[in-house]
Amino acid sequence: MPSASIVGGGPAGLMAAQVLALAGIEVDLYDAMPSVGRKFLLAGKGGLNLTHSEPAASFLTRYGARQADVTPWLLAFGPAQLRAWARDLGTETFVGSSGRVFPVGMKAAPLLRAWLHRLRHPLQGLAVRFHMRHRWIGWDEAGAAMTSQRFDTPTGPLATRSDAVLLAMGGASWPQLGSDGAWVEPMRAQGVAVASLAPSNCGFDIAGGWSPHFAQRFAGQPLKSVVLRVCAPGAMAFERKGEFVATHTGVEGSLVYAASGLLRELIVAHGQAELFVDLLPDLTGERVVAQVAHPRGSRSLTSHLKSRLGIGGIKAGLLFEVLSRDQLSDPAVVARTLKALPLRLAAARPVSEAISSAGGVAFGELDARLMLRKCPGVFCAGEMLDWEAPTGGYLLTAAMASGRAAAIGALQYLGRAG
């Protein structure tokens, strides 16, 4: 009977295990942590965002430069199929006001428990054997094929051999949960091209830092109902309404995460990135100019902006942070800045702090089945591949879809599927 080893117990690895086991393949799943699905559980801490309900055409664009590579996985297993999968495990889902899809009850733990029960006691096929605290360290050089693997285990080194191997070891975000990127160098040692792992869906540091006053007073506070714009050379590259958060060193939050790939690349190319924040997106520039220029008598500028435009709190703090005393005395400059407040970003926060990571195994190293061309019988899936996506359910959907796609590729390799 054919056998397969899966390395990595995140969503991609677990989905691959499900596909292979239900096809009658003997599956051994190895993970470096004491239990599987740790990032899955963390993602659901504030409400598990499974996927997104927007139309497929828009959904696919969220994968940016890798849209063409990711699309085949998602056409076979997209948002509708993921919701059906959750329902089959006894978890109904609903669409939130933002279009994001959540399980009823919002929690990840019940869904993960049902999933693991299914894998250990499948309706058909074979049960998956789980091997915890087994850290992958590379290929067994004494093995006759690339499907021989080496692990560090609590009882000492272990070499394994199977008919196919599926690697789903994640990127380098949240390393304390197991995805530390340690697989990169062993992979490169086999001649496999791997793009360096970089932070994605991450925060950024402000060039020069905030003033002590601003950091102490406003760190952790959100800027709501703003429009964030990012200009690349010659064009407006990003524009979206939403919110983000000031941190002690810079900015983070949903709008910043959505633009993080672009911002990261601009910093790499130019040493910094500049974004612009429209603090009053529902008012025209002309209306803002008129309100700022309205005579304020003996009132302070702070009181004037609050009464005429509702600008206060962190929005006022940000305005006073970026403008000098002389600039604040010029109504035209104040009005212009309220509609396009500039922030210069110096660096992304470390990948260990990021929600996800970019980079990974280059798609050119893989065939259509997600098998490594240089390592027959070895397949890759999940975040260790060179793609990225914003938060909103896009990461989890594509990770699970890639696990399914790689497992089907392994079945084809093993002669179990057309």
Side-chain angles (χ1 to χ4, degrees), residues 36-98:
V36 298
R38 294 199 163 199
K39 286 182 73 174
F40 186 77
L41 291 173
L42 181 68
K45 190 173 182 180
L48 180 62
N49 181 196
L50 280 171
T51 188
H52 204 287
S53 63
E54 68 183 349
S58 298
F59 190 96
L60 294 173
T61 64
R62 307 303 183 186
Y63 299 90
R66 297 301 179 207
Q67 179 178 343
D69 300 298
V70 175
T71 291
W73 317 339
L74 295 170
L75 291 180
F77 188 87
Q81 291 82 1
L82 196 154
R83 296 182 72 181
W85 164 84
R87 187 180 307 114
D88 185 55
L89 290 174
T91 297
E92 294 294 333
T93 58
F94 72 95
V95 179
S97 59
S98 64

Side-chain angles (χ1 to χ4, degrees), residues 62-63 200-201 240 254 257-260 356 388-395:
R62 307 303 183 186
Y63 299 90
S200 181
N201 292 294
R240 192 172 303 175
S254 57
Y257 297 157
S260 62
S356 60
E388 63 180 310
T391 57
Y394 308 106
L395 288 163

Side-chain angles (χ1 to χ4, degrees), residues 151-197:
F151 297 89
D152 276 339
T153 79
T155 58
L158 173 70
T160 67
R161 176 74 184 277
S162 55
D163 297 308
V165 171
L166 195 148
L167 303 177
M169 292 180 279
S173 61
W174 298 99
Q176 66 272 29
L177 300 179
S179 56
D180 57 9
W183 54 267
V184 170
E185 291 310 315
M187 193 74 73
R188 286 174 172 166
Q190 294 296 330
V192 176
V194 179
S196 296
L197 301 180

